[in-house]
Amino acid sequence: VAQLTFATAGPRVDLSIQEAVQRGMERNIDISVARITPRLSEFTLIGLEANYRLNLTSAAGNTRTTDLPRVTTQGISEPTTSMRENWSAGIAQNLWWGGGNYSVAWTNSRFNSPSSINIRNPQFQSGLTATLVQPLLRGFRTDSTRTAIQSNRISQQNDEIALNSTMATTQANVRNAYWDLVYAVQAVEAAQSSFDLASRLVKDNEARVEIGTLAPIDVVTAQAEEATRRQALVQAQATVRTAELSLKRLIVSGTEDPLWTSSLNPVDRPPTTAEPINLEGAVTRALTQRTDFQQSQNNLRISDINLRNQVDLTRPQLNLQATYGLSGLGGPFLQRTGAVDPITGGPVSNVIPSGYFDALRNITGFDAPTWTVGLQFAYPLGRSAQEANVARSRLSLDQSRANVKALELLIATEVTNAALTAQSSLESV
């Protein structure tokens, strides 16, 4: 274990290279910030995916209407007040596959009016309606929402890759800063030894001058050399403070961290044994694990997804629309028997009891079905803006593919140069 001959202010803390790296992974502020970005992207995805969740709908209302008499069929000459109560419920959902949407609605109402033209009073109406809208051309394979979800998922992968890149960079920076501090500490030791030798030479020269075996000018020369080496010692001590500060910046969580005000003592020393370099394996690993290459490939996938969406926008719009509904009616109504009342001379009518459940029985019995099927078609004439966007995006995609190939070559070159530099440095050592 190395001992410091020079220590900065604060309580001394022995620190190994493994402890420094571990602290950096746990407390580095840049890593803490990078960990938040993928979580932000996840909330963006949640917001987009909510577009395909099942929605429950409901409504209720009450309407009171007073009508003045306008036609003779109303049978009365006084204002008529009617009440209508409505309540409904339903579900609606957008579909991921096919890009369509459907809705199912259940409607109910109660209408009460004293008008004589109504054979039912009150009237109960109930209905069940299902609607489907399905794109057959444009929007079938993809649309803006599905494209955004797919591209954001890949972007989230890029955020995870960026986090891994930040962690790897921080780990490398911690190691470099640690060894820089070790070098600075050893430089102080060397400068201290050099200064001690210069001070000893000054004393020896002074003693020789006193006995007359040396000229006084040699004392002045030795003192000048002592001052020069003292200046080098001061500069080396300043370098220790700077290197220590750089290391602290990477391994503390803030100025409130106790390590920030401590004096670091790096106890490890770099090994002197050389490790063999597998150049081919290093290049292969770089092409599979380099974060910038992975992000470039993901960006290429995003461009391809966006291009498919733009190609889809150039297709004609052809939507299938289908609706199926059931309706029911209930409420007491007057049924004329054909007989004549001997007293009034008017027709005789019977009141047939009926209510809300009769309206429901009409629905369950499929007594009054209604269905519609239709197609909606649209196609722009002439060259559209979407076609121009597709042509531009295809050129941009070809350019991105070329950039990925260039990056692949650059990575192989950088790894090869780094291996050659490391080998040369080892031979120099």
Side-chain angles (χ1 to χ4, degrees), residues 22-303:
Q22 182 178 359
R23 283 178 174 269
M25 294 297 99
E26 295 174 354
R27 306 186 183 185
N28 184 266
I29 298 179
D30 295 335
I31 294 179
S32 300
V33 173
R35 284 195 176 103
I36 298 177
T37 304
R39 297 173 58 190
L40 296 176
S41 300
E42 183 175 356
F43 284 109
T44 302
L45 274 173
I46 291 175
L48 291 171
E49 291 172 349
N51 188 63
Y52 297 98
R53 293 182 180 176
L54 188 66
N55 293 321
L56 301 178
T57 60
S58 64
N62 193 326
T63 303
R64 178 187 176 95
T65 304
T66 301
D67 293 326
L68 297 175
R70 288 172 293 177
V71 293
T72 58
T73 55
Q74 288 183 262
I76 56 177
S77 59
E78 298 295 331
T80 302
T81 300
S82 60
M83 295 288 294
R84 182 178 294 275
E85 300 167 357
N86 301 284
W87 64 98
S88 62
I91 58 174
Q93 185 177 22
N94 294 321
L95 301 175
W96 173 272
W97 187 91
N101 63 83
Y102 74 90
S103 63
V104 178
W106 180 43
T107 60
N108 302 273
S109 67
R110 181 183 184 276
F111 181 68
N112 188 354
S113 175
S115 176
S116 61
I117 63 175
N118 297 323
I119 64 172
R120 294 177 183 267
N121 191 48
Q123 295 179 13
F124 295 94
Q125 293 182 342
S126 185
L128 184 64
T129 304
T131 302
L132 172 67
V133 178
Q134 176 59 58
L136 301 179
L137 293 177
R138 183 194 305 172
F140 179 78
R141 296 179 180 177
T142 186
D143 53 36
S144 59
T145 303
R146 285 179 286 176
T147 298
I149 290 177
Q150 292 173 350
S151 60
N152 274 274
R153 284 174 179 171
I154 299 177
S155 297
Q156 187 181 32
Q157 294 177 8
N158 277 346
D159 294 337
E160 296 286 350
I161 293 173
L163 172 60
N164 294 333
S165 176
T166 301
M167 296 176 65
T169 301
T170 301
Q171 184 176 1
N173 291 338
V174 169
R175 292 182 179 275
N176 290 335
Y178 186 90
W179 296 127
D180 287 342
L181 179 59
V182 171
Y183 173 81
V185 169
Q186 292 181 334
V188 168
E189 296 173 357
Q192 183 68 54
S193 299
S194 178
F195 174 71
D196 293 341
L197 290 175
S199 299
R200 187 180 305 170
L201 180 61
V202 170
K203 293 180 181 180
D204 292 344
N205 288 352
E206 288 175 348
R208 293 178 182 178
V209 169
E210 290 179 359
I211 62 177
T213 59
L214 197 66
I217 190 61
D218 292 328
V219 175
V220 176
T221 302
Q223 290 174 342
E225 182 64 23
E226 180 188 26
T228 300
R229 296 187 181 184
R230 181 177 181 82
Q231 182 181 11
L233 176 60
V234 172
Q235 292 176 346
Q237 292 173 346
T239 302
V240 169
R241 297 187 183 95
T242 303
E244 183 186 62
L245 188 63
S246 298
L247 179 58
K248 287 180 179 179
R249 162 65 180 81
L250 296 170
I251 62 176
V252 299
S253 57
T255 55
E256 70 281 356
D257 195 309
L259 203 64
W260 178 255
T261 55
S262 300
S263 176
L264 302 183
N265 177 28
V267 297
D268 288 337
R269 293 296 178 263
T272 57
T273 57
E275 295 184 2
I277 299 177
N278 183 1
L279 179 57
E280 182 178 356
V283 173
T284 302
R285 180 178 180 182
L287 293 177
T288 56
Q289 299 186 14
R290 275 275 293 253
T291 55
D292 52 350
F293 189 68
Q294 293 176 352
Q295 288 177 328
S296 296
Q297 289 180 318
N298 283 341
N299 291 334
L300 193 62
R301 293 171 55 194
I302 292 176
S303 299

Side-chain angles (χ1 to χ4, degrees), residues 307-375:
L307 176 60
R308 291 201 301 267
N309 181 54
Q310 292 174 352
V311 171
D312 185 79
L313 291 175
T314 63
R315 309 177 72 186
Q317 181 182 1
L318 180 62
N319 293 344
L320 171 66
Q321 297 180 342
T323 303
Y324 185 83
L326 296 170
S327 60
L329 181 63
F333 65 94
L334 297 176
Q335 184 181 42
R336 295 181 180 180
T337 63
V340 177
D341 191 324
I343 299 177
T344 63
V348 177
S349 300
N350 294 330
V351 177
I352 306 299
S354 179
Y356 174 68
F357 291 101
D358 292 301
L360 294 182
R361 275 191 288 269
N362 291 149
I363 293 178
T364 57
F366 294 86
D367 296 335
T370 302
W371 60 268
T372 58
V373 176
L375 294 174

